[in-house]
Each structure stands twice: as C-alpha cells, then as structure tokens.
Amino acid sequence: MGRLWRREVWRLTLLVGIGALLGWPFSLTSVGVGAGLTFGLAYHLRNLHAMHDWLTHRPQQEPPTASGLWGELFDRLYRYQKGQRITQRRLRSTLQRIQESSEAMRDSVVMLDRHGDLEWWNSSAERMLGLKPALDRGQHITNLLRDPRFVGYFNERDYREPLSLPSPIDENMILQFQITLYGDDERLVMARDITRLHRLEQMRRDFVANVSHELRTPLTVLTGYLETYGDMADMLPERLGKGVAQMQNQTRRMQNLVNDLLLLSRLENDQGGDDHTRLDPTTLLQTVKRDAQALSGGRQQIEVSIDDPRGLKGSEKEIHSAISNLAFNAVRYAGDGARIQLRWRAYGDGACLEVEDDGDGIDPMHLPRLTERFYRVDKGRSTATGGTGLGLAIVKHVLLRHDARLDIDSHPGEGATFRCIFPSSRVQENRQTAASP
Ligand code: ADP
C-alpha cells in the first residue's frame, strides 16, 4: 500500500509539474499548477463516484476497473465483502439448523431478550406453555407464566437449581424449568415434561409413608408384649430373658426408624414452608440443651450462646427437631469429655443456628454425601448409638422448607460444625417482639 500511495503522490506531482512547465513559457506557471491539480482532483472524483455507484447499486458485482491505489482499494473492498457474504451465509444456515433442531426437540425452548421479552420459541413451547405465535411475541415472560414461584425464580437470577411447576395450561402436566443466561444478558428458558418422573417419585413417597404407617400397629403390639415379658424377666429362663432384651432393643430401633421415615415423608409431601411463627432462639436452644444433657448423662459439656439479638421465623416443631438431631448427633459422635456449643449468631444478611463440637470430626470426603438417607460414616457406631441414618436427611428437609441451608465444616480430629443458615427473610428483627405471641 505504501508503494501505491507514493505512486499516487508522484502522479499528482507530475501533473502539477507538467502544468507548471507548460504554463511557464507564457508566464502562466500558477495557472499550469492549478490545471495540474484540477486534473488530479478530477481523477480522484471520478474514482470516488465509481466507488459510490458500485457500492450503492451493484455491490454484489465485480468492482469498477481502476489502477494504482484506487484499484487496490476496490479489490480489497470486494474481497472483504465477499468474505462477509460467506460468513453471513454460514451463520444463517447454522441459525436455521439450530432453530430446526430446537423445533424438533420435545422440550420447550424459549429465547428472551435482555428485558425478558419473548423473541423466539419452538412448537413444544406452544404445546406445553400455551404460547401463541401471533399474540405473544414481544410480551414479557412473566405476563404469560404468572405463577409467583416462576416470577420469583425468574427475577432472582440464581438459576443453579431447576424449578418444578405445573404447566400454565394443564395442571396435571409437571414441568421442570431451567434458565440459562447468555450473550448480552439474554435468557434461554427450557421446560421439560417431568410428569412421569413426578408421579413415580410421588408413588415412592406414598409407598414409604404407607409401609411405615402400616408397620406402626404391629410394632406397637410387639413392643407391648415384649415390655410385659421384660417385666417378667426374672421368671424366664436366662437365655429367653436375654433374647427378650435384644428383641426390645431391635423393636425400639424399628420404631425409631418408622418414626423418622414418617417424619421425612410428611416433610416431603406437605408443601408447607409457610409457617412464619416467631421463635425465640434462647428458649429453643435451652430446651435442646436440656434434652441433649439427658442423653449425654454428664459425659459432655453442653453450652448455649446467643450472639444475635434477633429472632427466627419458622415452624417451632420442625426447627426444634432439626436442631435436636444435630445436638444428639454431637452427643453420640463427639465422644466422652467433648465440649458442645449450641449457638445463634448473625451470618451474612441472615443468621445461623450452629452446633459445634470438638470431637473426632469427619473426613471431608464424606461431607457431600452426609445428608443422604442411610449414609453413615461408621455404620456400627451409628447403630450402636441408636441412629437411624435419617437424622441429617430430616435436617436438610426442614431447612429446605425454611429457605435455609445446611453447611458442614469438619476435619478429622478437629471436631465438627453443623450450621443451619437462614436468609434475612426468616430472621425477626427484634427478639423481644419475637418472643411475644
Ligand atoms: P445417624 O442416625 O447414623 O446418626 P445421621 O444422618 O444423623 O444418621 O448422620 C449421618 C452420619 O454423620 C452419622 O452416621 C455419623 O457418622 C456422621 N455424623 C453426624 N454428626 C456427627 C458429628 N457431630 N461428629 C461426627 N460424625 C457425625
């Protein structure tokens, strides 16, 4: 380009020079220079006009022929345009393929712009969400999917977990919504029909609840008889007496298991979570402390500390059950001589109920699975101390119903801290008010 540019400058200088030379004999040098410049200008104007004409009227066609710098400019522009056209064609066909494959998908796909207005959706979205092509384009998604749970999920902008809801046009159809943020704050809403899965899950829950319920009566009868036989232990032969004591132990275990299973299925089945009763953490933790002390039998030191003046909103029975589970676990697993702290304190915007012990702790590799049903680090120890393997699963469910989460922090030999973290919406500003009815 530098070479061509120099040539262009030479061309103009030459024109001006020739003009000056021709004018000089007649003492009209400046007229000659002017004429040279005019020629140069005319040449450039002609090429500029050709370029404008080409780009305006026939940009797809070959460029006008020109030499020097202008020829190079035309060539480059032409090549650039050609490249752009190929890229455009490729993008268009990719877009078309994406739309075709989305169209063929059984899941709903809805594309929203950065304001949350509907841009494009596939036919499954029409069938599952009731979107109408003629009417709904450009509408805000929350005008069409009005369920407050969806609106909350959409506005929250935390899409790590999916949301399950009945379809807005058929409440028997259960949809799982998942939102993805992409590009310039645009969003992709995907909805999957999980009705079958939901029904199976419901069947599993009903089955567990029914079996547990049905086991209750026979277990009560067995326990009753075993208690009577236990009272007559001195009248029974020694071997039989031992057997009765063992049977009593096992029926007690089964009863605990049935009770925990029933509690879990009640927590799962009951939508609940709207209980915002005002709780006083001091009363709650003092009650749990008394029960834990009874279980500990003085083998551990149990303390309560209240480091936040605010109260808590939730179901007293459920939160009491969750914290009792954590405190009883600490008593059962921390070992003799351990120090157990029950604490209420501020945590981020909200607050947390914390159970901390300085016992044997847990290897971090177990932590992600600890809240799974029947997951135990040491099965023998759990069974020997009367554990059902459901305690932490119950805690997790109670917390879920209170918009809270369980955080476990532990290392072998360094004790364990179980933290129930409540959001600010579950924290009562003034505990004095909270304690009043
Ligand atoms: P379990 O009925 O077996 O106690 P949980 O669900 O309550 O069932 O607890 C799961 C497992 O977590 C327990 O078996 C135990 O190994 C471990 N665990 C719970 N709390 C503690 C603790 N404070 N210290 C050490 N291990 C604990």
Side-chain angles (χ1 to χ4, degrees), residues 293-409:
Q293 269 171 335
L295 181 70
S296 162
R299 283 173 292 120
Q300 283 113 342
Q301 186 190 338
I302 306 172
E303 290 161 10
V304 168
S305 86
I306 305 292
D307 303 336
D308 190 318
R310 296 174 298 171
L312 179 61
K313 290 186 277 184
S315 152
E316 181 161 10
K317 206 168 140 202
E318 290 179 15
I319 293 182
H320 177 268
S321 146
I323 304 303
S324 299
N325 265 314
L326 296 178
F328 295 170
N329 273 354
V331 170
R332 285 162 49 222
Y333 298 110
D336 290 355
R339 185 163 169 241
I340 300 166
Q341 298 234 39
L342 311 178
R343 199 177 293 123
W344 167 246
R345 67 176 180 90
Y347 194 95
D349 282 352
C352 79
L353 280 168
E354 206 168 69
V355 178
E356 184 182 342
D357 67 64
D358 60 359
D360 300 339
I362 310 160
D363 194 316
M365 73 177 214
H366 296 292
L367 298 185
R369 300 195 57 193
L370 221 53
T371 54
E372 281 176 24
R373 281 152 214 229
F374 301 113
Y375 186 88
R376 286 119 155 177
V377 176
D378 179 348
K379 188 154 192 248
R381 191 160 172 196
S382 161
T383 314
T385 53
T388 59
L390 295 171
L392 292 181
I394 291 174
V395 175
K396 190 176 112 180
H397 270 89
V398 167
L399 295 186
L400 267 179
R401 287 159 61 86
H402 287 82
D403 320 308
R405 65 188 166 90
L406 179 66
D407 183 69
I408 311 171
D409 189 6

